Amino acid sequence: MSRPTLTEHLIASDAPPALRLLIETVAQTCARIADAISQGALGGVLGDAGTGNVQGEQQKKLDVIANDMMLAANARNGTLRGMASEEMDDVSPLEASDAPYLLLFDPLDGSSNIDVNVSVGTIFSVLAAPRQPRAVTAEDFLQPGRDQVAAGYVVYGPATMLVLTCGRGVDGFTLDRHTGSWWLTQPGMTVPAQTREYAINASNARHWFDPVKRYVDDLLAGKTGPIGKDYNMRWVASMVADVHRIMSRGGVFMYPRDARDPDKPGKLRLMYEANPMAMLVEQAGGAAHDGTTRILDIAPTGIHQRVAVFLGSREEVERAAAYGSD
Ligand code: AHM
Ligand code: MG
């Protein structure tokens, strides 16, 4: 069967050459990250790095390795004016030039799963750089998610897959580990509007605000409750893996704000987790909101800002929103 490679697909879809080069560099880097992950204990890559990031989280060795790989590979291809990452306190400006893009990424999402050999991922978001050829600052990155030029993730699962949008639908590519090529295997991915599957870390139930409690109670009540159908539940604790399941067969993913720490509006980060996932899910026909607002319309105030996330099958996300926020 003849299928296009990522390069052929990007050429056929008229992606500007700089965007094509950027996406191909990210994809090649992720293929190398996949290789490092797959070495496991043999590669000496498991365990803690012994350092923390700006979020106050312990870094895994692979968090640092993946971050360094992304930085090194993307610094010199001439497409970027700056990068920002979950693992770096501040944005990393590149030389002032007329390079057209900014790149934000979570180099290794779900890294608590690394040491137990469960799927993890890389998430990325591409924004336009300012028109003037000057050094970029953090403010230049603070654009609403609806202005993203492209977004994607790579899931390091039983197969390594890249799921990508450049603003005209969503396509899935599978990595051939022997040749390093990415092949279009899931063109035009869509999220079914309805679902019978939800994803939430229910160990936080006692901290949830009332609307989330009521909604999850109604999901649990199944056929005999007000929603009138039985649901199944899944929680990988790797957002990439949970979202990939939803991109493949539908579902609703929730990481709500809760009462544990009023200064933290949720756990996940807007700029390099929620925004790219929201763009992908919307481009596939789904929906994404924070309980009150469409995620892609949130005006960002900080690179590492956190946000509540409800995303996935459109009708289920709308149902969750109808319960209110807090
Ligand atoms: P990370 O980027 O530091 O790995 O954290 C984000 C991850 C998500 O992938 C996942 O959905 C969530 O944290 C799981 O959180 P919890 O351990 O509270 O269930
Ligand atoms: Mg993450």
Side-chain angles (χ1 to χ4, degrees):
M1 184 173 137
S2 128
R3 20 169 146 254
T5 62
L6 175 63
T7 306
E8 288 164 347
H9 174 78
L10 290 170
I11 291 170
S13 60
D14 279 340
L19 183 61
R20 205 174 86 212
L21 178 56
L22 173 56
I23 289 169
E24 291 197 72
T25 308
V26 169
Q28 279 164 13
T29 311
C30 290
R32 291 179 47 230
I33 295 172
D35 200 44
I37 291 169
S38 73
Q39 298 294 314
L42 299 177
V45 294
L46 302 185
D48 293 336
T51 49
N53 65 14
V54 66
Q55 338 268 333
E57 298 162 341
Q58 286 304 309
Q59 289 173 307
K60 295 282 180 190
K61 280 185 198 164
L62 271 166
D63 283 322
V64 177
I65 292 168
N67 194 61
D68 290 349
M69 283 184 181
M70 287 288 278
L71 287 177
N74 288 290
R76 290 202 193 89
N77 65 20
T79 67
L80 288 178
R81 296 266 285 284
M83 288 183 265
S85 151
E86 175 174 328
E87 304 305 336
M88 303 190 301
D89 297 9
D90 300 312
V91 302
S92 167
L94 296 169
E95 244 171 58
S97 68
D98 58 0
Y101 301 118
L102 304 172
L103 180 68
L104 297 98
F105 52 87
D106 177 354
L108 207 71
D109 180 62
S111 53
S112 71
N113 278 321
I114 273 292
D115 295 343
V116 291
N117 201 15
V118 169
S119 296
V120 289
T122 296
I123 313 172
F124 63 93
S125 163
V126 180
L127 295 169
R131 285 180 194 284
Q132 313 84 338
R134 59 169 172 76
V136 293
T137 65
E139 279 64 43
D140 294 313
F141 288 75
L142 300 182
Q143 306 177 31
R146 62 172 179 264
D147 292 343
Q148 290 170 104
V149 174
Y153 63 77
V154 171
V155 56
Y156 308 105
T160 296
M161 281 195 66
L162 164 68
V163 175
L164 173 71
T165 180
C166 297
R168 282 189 285 172
V170 181
D171 297 296
F173 303 82
T174 302
L175 176 66
D176 180 337
R177 300 285 285 273
H178 301 296
T179 61
S181 303
W182 294 92
W183 297 92
L184 179 63
T185 47
Q186 273 92 337
M189 294 174 82
T190 54
V191 176
Q194 296 180 359
T195 184
R196 289 172 178 265
E197 204 161 62
Y198 69 97
I200 193 165
N201 182 344
S203 71
N204 297 323
R206 69 190 183 283
H207 306 296
W208 294 339
F209 293 113
D210 279 347
V212 174
K213 276 187 187 154
R214 277 190 281 111
Y215 174 54
V216 175
D217 280 350
D218 289 351
L219 294 174
L220 289 168
K223 259 200 185 99
T224 56
I227 302 178
K229 57 178 176 174
D230 289 337
Y231 285 79
N232 196 4
M233 200 211 79
R234 290 285 183 270
W235 185 253
V236 184
S238 284
M239 187 194 200
V240 171
D242 278 312
V243 171
H244 188 65
R245 184 186 59 253
I246 289 169
M247 294 293 293
S248 306
R249 68 178 189 208
V252 58
F253 171 94
M254 298 173 272
Y255 212 118
R257 195 168 88 80
D258 64 36
R260 273 176 295 181
D261 183 348
D263 292 336
K264 274 193 191 170
K267 174 178 183 184
L268 300 172
R269 276 56 52 119
L270 175 65
M271 300 301 294
Y272 41 78
E273 292 178 322
N275 270 344
M277 291 310 202
M279 182 178 183
L280 286 159
V281 166
E282 283 201 8
Q283 283 288 322
H289 73 79
D290 73 349
T292 54
T293 308
R294 177 185 178 228
I295 285 179
L296 296 180
D297 285 338
I298 295 173
T301 54
I303 290 291
H304 300 294
Q305 150 179 14
R306 294 176 194 260
V307 67
V309 174
F310 298 77
L311 63 75
S313 293
R314 188 175 39 76
E315 289 182 23
E316 200 55 57
V317 172
E318 284 164 5
R319 191 200 314 277
Y323 282 73
S325 53
D326 48 47

